[in-house]
Amino acid sequence: MFKNGPKDYRHLNLKEFGGHKDEVNCVAFSEDFQIIVTGSDDERVRVFKARTGEFLCKLRGHTGSVKTVAISADSKLIASGSFDKTIRIWQTSDTQLLHCLKGHTKSVEVVCFSPNSELLCSGSWDRTAIIWQVESGHPFKILCGHDNLVQSVAFSPKGIFVATGSWDFTVRVWRIDDEHYNKPVSHLVLTGHKGNIHSVSFSKDNVLASGSWDKTVRLWNIKTGSCIHTCSGHIGWVQAVTFSPDGTYVASAGDDETVRVWDVVNGKCVKTLEGQTDQAHQCGFTPGGALVASGAAVTTLALT
């Protein structure tokens, strides 16, 4: 990984992943970056090979716009959340539907698998997040407390905590490692952002990052609830945040057509990738340290 910060980036327009009949709302990369999943207003989920752009399959079943997609860490499962208030979990191997999860009362805006793929967390316009048991399809925990849409969720590396980001300008961190459904989950409320929270992410060391429409990224100590750094520089809404595998850097993608890379220790921006994606909505580091950013239709790879 980078020793003195990422320096030499090459920008490669990998592929336009087409085929949807309406606007693409979401994209997810598998952990090994071998497959890409997209969700659209056409109520379909499409799966592609990341390196070649080869179309693999289409997943049907939702009766509303697909707002969010996720791939389990072992790439065996795909989850999709929809305006139809449901979450669907599909088997990657044969595209069979494993579960249709019903529990939210409004549109599902975000889904995320736990690191061991045993749990799934969903966030909704109904102001709740629900943690589901993947094998059974049953709800495990219902997380209440936000005053507005739950737009983002993330599990900590060991699956002990889950963070939820909301349009109420707060991030909540919930401890979920107890076994009893009826036992309340303890949590922290992190305040300081002045805009909707659109993305949250944990580092391997349990540092939490949040990206907001106030155009900043904040880094948090979840043991104390204190803000470690406020990273300012974007001139557009921050849509996504992600940590490098070693936890040294955090990348943020914004509506200002930039992806910025920040040093976790001092909170300083060490690299800005400009004009490579039109309103970057997603970003992620590959296991080898390459940074991938995705806009509305084009995926751009930035290599160190």
Side-chain angles (χ1 to χ4, degrees):
M1 190 49 67
F2 320 119
K3 299 209 182 208
N4 299 310
K7 299 199 182 234
D8 182 19
Y9 282 80
R10 291 184 291 120
H11 305 284
L12 305 174
N13 182 3
L14 291 182
K15 191 72 182 178
E16 224 175 90
F17 300 95
H20 284 293
K21 296 179 180 178
D22 209 329
E23 182 175 351
V24 176
N25 296 317
C26 50
V27 59
F29 307 101
S30 62
E31 197 164 277
D32 59 7
F33 281 80
Q34 295 302 303
I35 63 173
I36 289 178
V37 177
T38 57
S40 168
D41 280 345
D42 66 9
E43 304 177 0
R44 301 290 186 265
V45 175
R46 295 173 72 90
V47 185
F48 303 86
K49 286 186 179 180
R51 294 189 179 278
T52 65
E54 177 187 350
F55 171 69
L56 296 177
C57 63
K58 182 192 303 181
L59 307 178
R60 298 183 178 92
H62 282 297
T63 57
S65 298
V66 178
K67 306 305 293 276
T68 177
V69 288
I71 307 171
S72 62
D74 57 13
S75 297
K76 293 182 179 180
L77 299 172
I78 294 168
S80 55
S82 171
F83 185 78
D84 66 13
K85 309 173 189 176
T86 71
I87 301 108
R88 289 177 176 258
I89 301 179
W90 320 78
Q91 296 178 156
T92 308
S93 59
D94 56 10
T95 71
Q96 292 299 303
L97 181 67
L98 183 63
H99 296 297
C100 179
L101 308 179
K102 299 179 180 180
H104 286 294
T105 59
K106 293 185 178 180
S107 176
V108 179
E109 295 294 307
V110 62
V111 291
C112 178
F113 283 99
S114 63
N116 61 10
S117 305
E118 294 179 0
L119 299 174
L120 180 83
C121 188
S122 57
S124 168
W125 269 105
D126 64 13
R127 305 181 182 184
T128 71
I130 300 178
I131 301 174
W132 307 84
Q133 294 172 324
V134 170
E135 185 175 357
S136 68
H138 295 150
F140 176 58
K141 299 285 182 185
I142 299 176
L143 309 179
C144 301
H146 282 295
D147 295 326
N148 210 323
L149 159 68
V150 178
Q151 179 73 73
S152 53
V153 298
F155 283 92
S156 64
K158 293 184 179 180
I160 297 175
F161 301 97
V162 64
T164 55
S166 170
W167 281 21
D168 64 9
F169 302 179
T170 72
V171 179
R172 291 177 181 248
V173 181
W174 315 76
R175 187 176 180 92
I176 57 168
D177 61 338
D178 60 89
E179 299 176 353
H180 305 291
Y181 174 82
N182 291 323
K183 183 178 177 181
V185 286
S186 57
H187 70 281
L188 287 171
V189 181
L190 308 180
T191 61
H193 277 296
K194 298 178 181 178
N196 302 336
I197 313 299
H198 201 265
S199 181
V200 288
S201 179
F202 281 96
S203 76
K204 72 177 188 64
D205 302 311
N206 280 336
V207 174
L208 176 67
S210 56
S212 170
W213 287 3
D214 67 8
K215 306 175 186 177
T216 71
V217 175
R218 285 180 176 250
L219 302 179
W220 306 88
N221 181 329
I222 63 169
K223 292 182 179 179
T224 64
S226 60
C227 180
I228 304 169
H229 297 295
T230 299
C231 305
S232 300
H234 280 289
I235 58 173
W237 293 346
V238 178
Q239 300 282 23
V241 290
T242 186
F243 282 94
S244 61
D246 64 358
T248 303
Y249 302 100
V250 62
S252 57
D255 273 351
D256 55 7
E257 300 183 21
T258 71
V259 176
R260 293 173 181 265
V261 183
W262 312 85
D263 187 305
V264 172
V265 174
N266 59 29
K268 303 296 184 182
C269 182
V270 296
K271 192 70 179 179
T272 301
L273 310 178
E274 298 185 65
Q276 298 301 318
T277 54
D278 180 13
Q279 295 188 351
H281 292 159
Q282 301 285 341
C283 60
F285 283 92
T286 70
L291 176 60
V292 175
S294 178
V298 177
T299 297
T300 298
L301 178 62
L303 297 173
T304 60

